[in-house]
Amino acid sequence: MTIQTKDNKKVFLKRLQPCDFDKLTEFLQHLQPETTRRFGPHGFDKQTITELFENDGAHIGYIALDAETLEVIAYSIIKIGFLEHDASRLCTYGLTLDAKTDCTFAPSVADKWQSLGVGNSLFQFALYDLKAHSIKKVILWGGVQCCNTRAVNYYLKNGFKIMGQFQYNGENFDMVLDIEG
Ligand SMILES: CC(C)(COP(=O)(O)OP(=O)(O)OC[C@H]1O[C@@H](n2cnc3c(N)ncnc32)[C@H](O)[C@@H]1OP(=O)(O)O)[C@@H](O)C(=O)NCCC(=O)NCCS
């Protein structure tokens, strides 16, 4: 799928495939500290990426590519189900967790491409795909720092609701999107 950014650049959106692993590794390794302080669901080396996406079938990646250079400029990871170590906290909000119809989500956009609409478009692209896989609920991967205003706005804009707050390196929100709601 092709989209246009707010500053009129052409971007391709696609599901991550093995042929993209090198480009994705490069993208992750060039993220600025400002972004890696907020996004770190897994290691940024090629071996980790290969293990996550090639071997266990429980993860789906989505990427955005600059149509001019074909470099990866945004990436989102989806884990089917929920994170075991977050489960008890999530249940305190009255959520019923389901390993088959829940998924857990973490997004990142390259620093110079942020706030241009790429994050929104990549999430909507992923959502369309996830609905086709009978996913009913999207949970944030480890929540979001309350002070990360851009990300909190981004989740609210995409229909996520704040379920509760917890402390881990500062204050964080747990946010969930109910796809059926
Ligand atoms: C959070 C992130 C994924 C959002 O993607 P993005 O491409 O920058 O966001 P978009 O341009 O698609 O904007 C989506 C919404 O986010 C909000 N937003 C975007 N930029 C913003 C800014 N500078 N200030 C406040 N809100 C902002 C707005 O609500 C916007 O909707 P609008 O364009 O209709 O106003 C991206 O900025 C990012 O990777 N940040 C660093 C890593 C991170 O924080 N990841 C999340 C960890 S929980």
Side-chain angles (χ1 to χ4, degrees):
M1 181 181 176
T2 307
I3 58 139
Q4 199 107 12
T5 62
K6 286 182 183 170
D7 62 350
N8 293 322
K9 294 200 183 91
K10 219 163 80 168
V11 166
F12 299 136
L13 308 180
K14 61 175 286 204
R15 245 174 112 139
L16 181 72
Q17 290 169 340
C19 61
D20 304 310
F21 289 173
D22 282 325
K23 282 182 187 175
L24 176 60
T25 308
E26 195 150 324
F27 162 81
L28 291 169
Q29 292 180 352
H30 284 91
L31 287 173
Q32 297 298 305
E34 173 93 15
T35 293
T36 53
R37 271 194 294 115
R38 296 176 158 143
F39 174 80
H42 55 71
F44 287 178
D45 56 293
K46 190 175 171 191
Q47 192 185 335
T48 301
I49 291 165
T50 306
E51 280 166 12
L52 276 171
F53 293 107
E54 226 172 35
N55 299 338
D56 71 357
H59 297 89
I60 309 173
Y62 297 94
I63 52 172
L65 304 160
D66 176 354
E68 243 176 55
T69 63
L70 297 182
E71 282 171 25
V72 173
I73 57 155
Y75 160 63
S76 294
I77 180 168
I78 290 282
K79 173 190 161 61
I80 304 298
F82 49 88
L83 300 181
E84 285 297 336
H85 62 265
D86 284 350
S88 55
R89 189 184 70 241
L90 292 167
C91 287
T92 63
Y93 311 134
L95 286 172
T96 306
L97 299 176
D98 185 313
K100 288 208 176 95
T101 59
D102 291 347
C103 74
T104 303
F105 168 66
S108 61
V109 175
D111 298 77
K112 67 175 187 178
W113 289 82
Q114 290 173 8
S115 300
L116 294 175
V118 177
N120 255 352
S121 299
L122 192 58
F123 181 67
Q124 290 304 319
F125 177 77
L127 196 57
Y128 184 79
D129 195 35
L130 293 171
K131 282 179 186 169
H133 284 80
S134 306
I135 293 295
K136 308 251 185 286
K137 196 176 334 101
V138 186
I139 303 166
L140 292 192
W141 193 302
V144 54
Q145 294 166 343
C146 301
C147 62
N148 189 356
T149 311
R150 175 166 32 203
V152 173
N153 285 348
Y154 160 77
Y155 294 125
L156 289 171
K157 170 99 194 184
N158 282 290
F160 285 78
K161 296 206 162 45
I162 295 174
M163 305 304 296
Q165 203 165 323
F166 65 98
Q167 229 189 355
Y168 180 78
N169 290 338
E171 286 299 318
N172 299 268
F173 291 129
D174 275 312
M175 297 180 76
V176 169
L177 171 66
D178 186 349
I179 296 182
E180 288 175 314

